[in-house]
Amino acid sequence: EKLADKITLFEVAVPRVAKKAQAGQFVIIRLAEGGERIPLTIADHDRKAGTITLVVQEIGHTTKQMSSLEAGQGILDVTGPLGHPSHIVKDKTVVVIGGGVGIAPIFPIARAFREAGNKVIAIIGAKSKALLFWQEKMQKVSNELLIATDDGSAGHKGFVTDVLKEVLNKEKVGLVVAVGPGVMMAAVAKVVPQEVGLVVSLNSLMVDGTGMCGGCRVTVGGKTRFTCVDGPEFDGHQ
């Protein structure tokens, strides 16, 4: 299903992955023999149907190839669920932020926080209204949904950080979780005070997804971590 320009939703039948999938985890897929491996966050799962949902933005060779697949066609490898699930707190006001295609991975995280009894304020942002998706899905798992677009075609004209500042001023926020482009997460980290928890999801370069190749090294709090096995979520303040 085409969600927006160059953004496609896939429902993939992988019962064993669907059975174990939790919010915050990802899979590594390979379309065909000799193809590159790419990490994709699990945007939703249906244990009964045995399916997972992947939302993919066309950027490189494999994602462009993937977007040309038709219903009924197959993917050679789907390895997962990988990475640590999101750490779900209780009895807090949690702000979840999804930027661009990051709206997809933030959805199951928002749902998990809401189901645990937290007050969930969701902020989603994109360059324009045409690139926004899943507003209704996000509304259902949030106490409040706020929207920002760079061009002002939907919600606040500006960045998700503008909206976040307003929320932080009026609410006693316990935790902020941000998923999206690196520049967006870095901007969010500058806005969130040290005393408020901050979690970001790092989608670094990955190959095997099991900690063997070392391609996904990141420095967190001065220490080397591997996104695939130590993450993908880390303390944004670090």
Side-chain angles (χ1 to χ4, degrees):
E1 179 193 343
K2 289 279 178 210
L3 293 182
D5 183 40
K6 292 187 167 28
I7 299 175
T8 310
L9 178 149
F10 298 86
E11 202 168 283
V12 190
V14 275
R16 286 183 292 175
V17 179
K19 190 178 172 185
K20 298 279 187 179
Q22 293 182 65
Q25 292 185 300
F26 64 96
V27 292
I28 298 257
I29 69 120
R30 192 168 61 134
L31 291 183
E33 283 290 347
E36 67 173 342
R37 294 173 169 86
I38 58 165
L40 297 167
T41 310
I42 300 169
D44 203 354
H45 62 266
D46 185 332
R47 300 199 204 285
K48 208 176 266 183
T51 60
I52 61 167
T53 299
L54 304 174
V55 174
V56 181
Q57 186 171 26
E58 286 176 52
I59 292 174
H61 176 71
T62 300
T63 48
K64 282 177 184 161
Q65 263 191 315
M66 199 170 170
S67 69
S68 67
L69 289 175
E70 291 174 15
Q73 287 188 287
I75 294 167
L76 182 67
D77 300 328
V78 180
T79 308
L82 298 167
H84 290 283
S86 300
H87 176 65
I88 306 300
V89 297
K90 289 185 177 177
D91 304 320
K92 287 190 177 182
T93 295
V94 180
V95 178
V96 298
I97 306 170
V101 80
I103 295 166
I106 208 73
F107 166 73
I109 295 170
R111 179 173 60 192
F113 277 115
R114 183 79 185 273
E115 286 173 354
N118 298 284
K119 178 181 179 181
V120 175
I121 299 169
I123 305 170
I124 59 172
K127 286 183 179 174
S128 67
K129 186 181 180 178
L131 292 170
L132 281 172
F133 58 92
W134 281 13
Q135 292 97 311
E136 283 181 22
K137 275 176 81 99
M138 288 301 299
Q139 188 82 62
K140 282 178 186 169
V141 296
S142 316
N143 295 84
E144 190 179 355
L145 175 65
L146 304 165
I147 293 170
T149 49
D150 295 5
D151 63 0
S153 52
H156 168 81
K157 182 179 180 179
F159 303 124
V160 290
T161 42
D162 305 334
V163 181
L164 175 61
K165 283 175 192 168
E166 288 175 22
V167 173
L168 288 168
N169 284 337
K170 24 174 232 215
E171 298 270 352
K172 190 178 184 301
V173 175
L175 179 68
V176 176
V177 183
V179 184
V183 285
M184 181 213 94
M185 294 190 291
V188 166
K190 286 178 182 165
V191 170
V192 178
Q194 285 290 331
E195 63 272 16
V196 176
L198 173 62
V199 171
V200 295
S201 182
L202 301 183
N203 273 346
S204 62
L205 182 72
M206 288 189 204
V207 182
D208 65 282
T210 61
M212 289 167 66
C213 76
C216 67
R217 276 188 198 87
V218 288
T219 306
V220 181
K223 292 178 181 172
T224 299
R225 294 277 183 263
F226 294 138
T227 305
C228 68
V229 288
D230 297 320
E233 294 181 358
F234 294 98
D235 182 336
H237 292 307
Q238 296 186 355

